[in-house]
Amino acid sequence: MNGKTKHGAIFLAILLLWLKTYLVYKVSFTLPIDHFLQEILLFLNPLGFLVLYFCLAYFSSPVLRKRVILWLAIIYSIILYANVVYYRFFTDFLTIPVLFQTKNVGDIGNSVYELVYATDVFLFLDLIILAYLLNKPRWKSDYLLKSKDRKKVFITGIAILAVHLILAEINRPQLLTRTFDREILVKSLGTFNYHLYDIMLQSKSSMQKALASNLDAEEILQKTKKDTTHDPELYGIAKGKNLIVVSLESTQNFVLNYKINEKEVTPFLNELADSSYYFNNFYHQTGQGKTSDSEFLVDNSLYPLPRGAVFQTHPLNEYNAMPEILKANGYYSAVFHGNNKSFWNRDVVYKTMGYNHFFSEEYYKVTDENTINYGLKDIPFFEQSMPYLKDLPQPFYARFITLTNHHPYLIHEDEQWIEPYPVDDGTVSRYFTTVRYADEALRNFFNDLKKSGLYKNSVVVVYGDHYGISERHQDAMAQVLGKPNLTAYNQVELQQVPLFIHVPGKRGKQLDTVGGQVDLKPTLLHLLGIDTKNDVHFGSDLFSEDHHELTVLRNGSFVTDKFIYTNETCYVKPFGAPVDIRKCEPYIEKAKEELDQSDRIIYGDLLRFLK
Ligand code: GP9
Ligand code: MN
């Protein structure tokens, strides 16, 4: 047997999967490459892992080895493909907590058809080639491999991985300790090393609670600023009034005042901007938990987690959520949502957060006609909610979660009140039609609130939960926004969601204050005259003159009154020219620290030490 073919089968598998992974990086993921080192890293990053991974085949008996190699290749390919499909929907990579959320992922029903392409079979072509080649007698050589040679392969794998990690660290110092952005992790580490890293994070976070002590709690909670600044005129202006909060599914700020064929996409929201406080510089700060993350932000003024949905991973933590605080002030609280109660683990979390009642799907008359996509359509949802709302003991805190404007943005023809946007991208094109529908649903709801007399007695808040159009649609979005192309700066701007706060007796006003969902809790409590000095929160009152103008997004990008920081670049507003990084430096550490502290509170379940 000559030396060359000894490891043949393994090398063949490594080579095929290596090339496939690189191809997937280039075709299926959008991984911006800023310089040559990054391109080298991207090319190299599957290799070290693959060599070590296929060393596993050496543990099998020589007779079975070829079969084991094939199975290893199949498993690798399935994980890679799962990432491709997940990426198509979320522009993000899988994490361990997300894998345990399969119930919700399964529920994306309609969306899945859009996410699996016929051409995907090419992603498995290498397996067929591999199976065919391994069947040829030439690869028999692997049977005779000596243990000395196996060691050589293993050591080569370690060496490649070491070189790769050193390059990755040069490219981005503190990669493993300070990075919240999965895109950078995958780009530098590679999909599979990243998964291993993720498994490590998972074990670490599980241990953090067990190891957390009163002392940690004191240290972190000391550091967490308790921003209690407020506007003296507005503080307590709605004392004793009801609080109604509406979450608008996937609604981004750019749809406001947008027209298609001279027709407004959001005629009602545009009117609402005249009769309430409208924040046009307001950001979602959600991560993988999407809607549930936005709910978490609003009720707790803590950041959601960098991986997975906090609703799923930490539902039984001790929180000091809005419903609990309001309960202590005589309020009754309820959530209304036309989807099944266990989606995002809501039924469990709402109890933890102190809600008195959850009106989920089972409280509504749901028929084939009045549902689309995920569940009950927004118009019947609000209509059927009204009797329940009127019966709640007052004052109440009521949250409504809309649903119709959800990917893949489906609408019945007779309810399509605006033309789809003329662009060759179905998602972007249809998006406008479901936004238009949700806008009408909201108009009806406000009319009903007025008729019932609740309107004049309630603070009504409406906000967008998170983006609806992911970065994957940037070509179509550039067209929508009339720009030649979209920059990283534009992508951050696109994370703006609308926020309206209607305060009885107060006229409309547009506010340019930079803020995010984390700010809602102190803002709303202050309007109701409830002080926040003993509450652990990361937000600050949007109406305060001293409002903390640093809005940190969950991936570590941030926005201040003057700058936007993303992809390690500092951009100056309003046109987004890149500027010297030093301009952003004062905030970079702060932003990281804020996310880090919030994470430590959740992982360690530190609020339990406060009780
Ligand atoms: C599901 C709804 C949508 O109940 O809130 O969730 P999302 O996919 O947007 O997180
Ligand atoms: Mn949502």
Side-chain angles (χ1 to χ4, degrees):
M1 210 50 57
N2 74 39
K4 259 188 198 163
T5 49
K6 268 185 191 165
H7 312 280
I10 280 191
F11 286 163
L12 179 70
I14 291 173
L15 186 71
L16 284 171
L17 292 177
W18 179 16
L19 293 180
K20 171 161 83 176
T21 313
Y22 184 65
L23 204 74
V24 163
Y25 286 162
K26 287 299 188 191
V27 179
S28 307
F29 302 149
T30 325
L31 298 171
I33 298 294
D34 302 328
H35 46 79
F36 191 56
L37 179 57
Q38 274 184 10
E39 188 66 62
I40 294 182
L41 267 174
L42 195 69
F43 181 64
L44 192 68
N45 76 34
L47 187 59
F49 176 86
L50 278 169
V51 173
L52 294 176
Y53 177 65
F54 279 100
C55 278
L56 288 174
Y58 294 141
F59 289 106
S60 69
S61 78
V63 193
L64 289 176
R65 193 160 296 148
K66 279 198 304 190
R67 210 176 289 168
V68 171
I69 291 173
L70 190 61
W71 271 110
L72 287 173
I74 292 173
I75 294 168
Y76 182 98
S77 302
I78 291 174
I79 297 175
L80 188 65
Y81 183 61
N83 272 292
V84 168
V85 174
Y86 186 77
Y87 191 88
R88 283 183 187 147
F89 193 70
F90 294 106
T91 339
D92 196 356
F93 302 90
L94 285 168
T95 61
I96 301 295
V98 163
L99 284 181
F100 290 102
Q101 256 159 239
T102 43
K103 193 146 59 70
N104 290 359
V105 175
D107 257 349
I108 59 183
N110 282 313
S111 303
V112 166
Y113 292 115
E114 287 236 333
L115 301 176
V116 176
Y117 307 160
T119 45
D120 288 349
V121 290
F122 291 115
L123 287 175
F124 295 94
L125 210 60
D126 58 324
L127 295 181
I128 299 168
I129 299 174
L130 189 65
Y132 172 76
L133 289 179
L134 288 188
N135 244 337
K136 302 225 154 196
R138 163 184 152 78
W139 306 103
K140 282 219 163 75
S141 52
D142 270 23
Y143 295 174
L144 301 173
L145 207 61
K146 289 199 203 91
S147 84
K148 192 175 84 200
D149 293 326
R150 298 180 203 171
K151 265 189 211 139
K152 266 192 223 155
V153 179
F154 182 73
I155 290 167
T156 313
I158 298 274
I160 298 172
L161 198 66
V163 170
H164 165 211
L165 286 179
I166 291 168
L167 287 180
E169 184 70 20
I170 294 173
N171 177 51
R172 180 163 176 128
Q174 295 188 303
L175 176 72
L176 298 184
T177 42
R178 307 307 308 265
T179 306
F180 296 112
D181 185 347
R182 262 179 296 282
E183 183 179 292
I184 294 177
L185 279 171
V186 170
K187 216 156 66 173
S188 317
L189 293 181
T191 327
F192 287 80
N193 292 324
Y194 152 74
H195 284 316
L196 290 180
Y197 174 65
D198 187 54
I199 291 171
M200 198 193 82
L201 287 181
Q202 179 66 21
S203 355
K204 192 174 138 201
S205 86
S206 320
M207 267 162 48
Q208 240 159 316
K209 178 168 176 182
L211 298 178
S213 69
N214 220 329
L215 281 176
D216 294 326
E218 260 170 42
E219 183 208 322
I220 288 286
L221 302 175
Q222 280 294 331
K223 275 199 219 155
T224 310
K225 68 176 168 46
K226 290 190 193 77
D227 191 335
T228 55
T229 55
H230 52 264
D231 176 310
E233 194 214 325
L234 287 176
Y235 188 94
I237 193 163
K239 201 171 176 61
K241 296 223 182 313
N242 303 315
L243 175 61
I244 299 176
V245 176
V246 182
S247 154
L248 287 184
E249 179 56 48
S250 303
T251 305
Q252 293 175 230
N253 200 37
F254 76 87
V255 294
L256 263 93
N257 295 312
Y258 201 88
K259 285 184 183 163
I260 296 177
N261 294 335
E262 299 302 307
K263 275 191 173 159
E264 291 169 284
V265 179
T266 57
F268 178 69
L269 290 180
N270 300 346
E271 278 172 33
L272 193 59
D274 293 332
S275 59
S276 55
Y277 293 103
Y278 163 52
F279 292 84
N280 69 343
N281 239 321
F282 184 77
Y283 289 81
H284 84 80
Q285 294 160 302
T286 61
Q288 290 185 315
K290 307 301 284 294
T291 311
S292 68
D293 277 359
S294 73
E295 298 180 57
F296 184 78
L297 276 148
V298 171
D299 273 341
N300 296 290
S301 192
L302 296 172
Y303 291 94
L305 293 178
R307 312 156 47 253
V310 55
F311 267 33
Q312 308 270 15
T313 57
H314 297 79
L316 299 176
N317 269 18
E318 191 64 57
Y319 296 110
N320 188 27
M322 284 251 276
E324 295 168 276
I325 299 173
L326 289 172
K327 190 180 282 169
N329 286 272
Y331 277 72
Y332 184 91
S333 57
V335 183
F336 297 77
H337 185 45
N339 195 359
N340 79 62
K341 63 179 180 201
S342 62
F343 201 101
W344 284 133
N345 206 18
R346 285 182 171 110
D347 49 346
V348 177
V349 180
Y350 290 168
K351 282 202 187 103
T352 304
M353 300 208 301
Y355 278 100
N356 293 99
H357 202 81
F358 178 21
F359 294 91
S360 63
E361 194 176 24
E362 59 201 90
Y363 285 82
Y364 296 87
K365 276 183 222 72
V366 179
T367 62
D368 281 350
E369 287 73 47
N370 72 10
T371 49
I372 197 156
N373 207 359
Y374 275 63
L376 186 61
K377 289 192 276 188
D378 294 344
I379 291 182
F381 162 64
F382 280 124
E383 241 168 47
Q384 293 185 37
S385 299
M386 255 345 259
Y388 294 129
L389 184 67
K390 282 194 249 178
D391 276 354
L392 294 187
Q394 296 194 37
F396 57 69
Y397 167 39
R399 273 206 307 115
F400 290 80
I401 305 165
T402 66
L403 196 52
T404 309
N405 183 38
H406 194 288
H407 187 269
Y409 310 115
L410 306 176
I411 194 80
H412 291 134
E413 219 175 303
D414 56 333
E415 286 166 329
Q416 187 191 297
W417 294 308
I418 198 158
E419 292 299 301
Y421 185 85
V423 67
D424 189 19
D425 177 328
T427 299
V428 175
S429 174
R430 291 189 302 272
Y431 177 66
F432 292 87
T433 62
T434 44
V435 170
R436 175 66 187 84
Y437 171 88
D439 182 83
E440 200 61 27
L442 204 63
R443 179 191 295 282
N444 293 350
F445 180 52
F446 270 68
N447 284 341
D448 285 345
L449 285 178
K450 285 175 188 160
K451 266 191 242 152
S452 68
L454 286 170
Y455 190 67
K456 57 178 190 308
N457 223 0
S458 309
V459 170
V460 188
V461 181
V462 175
Y463 73 93
D465 63 351
H466 49 76
Y467 69 82
I469 305 293
S470 69
E471 280 181 38
R472 196 160 69 88
H473 302 278
Q474 51 180 321
D475 293 344
M477 278 308 292
Q479 236 170 293
V480 167
L481 300 175
K483 293 188 193 289
N485 62 300
L486 295 185
T487 62
Y489 173 86
N490 299 137
Q491 289 298 355
V492 172
E493 276 189 324
L494 275 174
Q495 306 314 308
Q496 285 174 1
V497 291
L499 167 68
F500 304 89
I501 302 180
H502 180 264
V503 180
K506 282 282 165 192
R507 291 240 278 276
K509 191 172 177 187
Q510 179 166 319
L511 296 168
D512 302 328
T513 319
V514 176
Q517 289 160 335
V518 77
D519 296 323
L520 277 169
K521 182 184 183 190
T523 306
L524 300 177
L525 287 175
H526 290 168
L527 285 176
L528 302 179
I530 298 170
D531 82 63
T532 54
K533 63 177 191 298
N534 293 323
D535 179 50
V536 175
H537 57 268
F538 286 86
S540 101
D541 190 332
L542 291 163
F543 291 114
S544 163
E545 265 190 18
D546 302 317
H547 170 72
H548 178 58
E549 294 230 328
L550 168 65
T551 295
V552 187
L553 309 191
R554 187 53 261 196
N555 64 6
S557 301
F558 61 77
V559 186
T560 75
D561 52 343
K562 296 196 181 64
F563 306 106
I564 283 184
Y565 173 82
T566 189
N567 272 355
E568 299 170 309
T569 311
C570 188
Y571 298 90
V572 67
K573 290 159 85 171
F575 300 113
V579 287
D580 190 339
I581 190 80
R582 274 173 296 187
K583 299 261 189 211
C584 280
E585 235 141 51
Y587 311 101
I588 295 178
E589 256 324 285
K590 253 184 137 161
K592 284 202 177 114
E593 206 175 82
E594 211 160 288
L595 293 170
D596 219 44
Q597 279 170 7
S598 177
D599 294 348
R600 285 178 66 183
I601 291 177
I602 298 169
Y603 289 137
D605 191 7
L606 298 186
L607 297 182
R608 73 195 143 121
F609 294 109
L610 283 185
K611 300 275 155 165

